Amino acid sequence: MEVPPKIYECIEGSTARRGSTDEVDGIPGDSKRNYNLLDLVRTPNIRKITVVMIIVSLNTVCIYIGLLFGTSQLAGSHYLNFILGACVEAVGMLTAGVTMRRWGRKRSTVGFSLLAGVSCVATAAVPSGLGHVTTALATVGRFGASSTFAILDIYCTELFPTVIRHMGVGTTIMVSRVGGIVAPFLSLLGNVWRPLPLLTLGVLSCVTTMVVTVLPETHGVPLPNTLQDSENIRR
């Protein structure tokens, strides 16, 4: 089957138009040019997105892994706590999908990260004799952390433009794994002061809540294809 010549003309015309509009701060808009990691910090809006998403992803992974490792220290049966945690995570991911459609990515991330932070701080404030209360609050915190984790996978992908999306998402994921490395060692802070590990996780959640507010909402917005598209996105 032979492709009509008009199809090639349409493709070439679309490519030429897309290349000519992708010019930001004097950067040429050649669609054939090679993009590199410097493009993640070259323009103001993308630089903000990159820095914020690295902070948010690193904190979220640290909180999630920290609460996951803390499950073994909760009161009650370890087996029941494990099953409860797994069920809470499943519900959290389903809830995240619903809230993203209803209230958008930004507000959902703010809400769930704030929930995780408040739960961690409240858990740290509970006296040592109230084991079941501690378990309940820690479970709520894990619900918030897992929901935030699920949303970030979508939110991060939608924030970066197509031309550097693979680098933006890859860099964010790579740096966030530092949080997973640090998280198991947070329990050592309990040797200094028992509530300190949970307070640290609570502070990280609050930081996440605050920095996410500077990001634009992507729900219902066309995916950015070029650097200029990302610069045109507003909060």
Side-chain angles (χ1 to χ4, degrees), residues 176-190:
S176 70
R177 293 305 180 256
V178 176
I181 296 172
V182 174
F185 296 98
L186 291 180
S187 60
L188 299 177
L189 296 176

Side-chain angles (χ1 to χ4, degrees), residues 131-161:
H132 294 296
V133 177
T134 301
T135 301
L137 290 173
T139 302
V140 173
R142 189 169 171 181
F143 169 82
S146 61
S147 300
T148 305
F149 207 164
I151 295 171
L152 288 181
D153 289 338
I154 305 296
Y155 199 14
C156 183
T157 304
E158 294 177 343
L159 284 170
F160 288 103

Side-chain angles (χ1 to χ4, degrees), residues 8 13 26 44 59 96 115 135 148 159 165 192 198 200 218 231:
Y8 291 110
N59 287 353
L115 176 64
T135 301
T148 305
L159 284 170
R165 183 169 295 129
V192 179
L198 284 169
T200 303
T218 59
E231 290 302 309

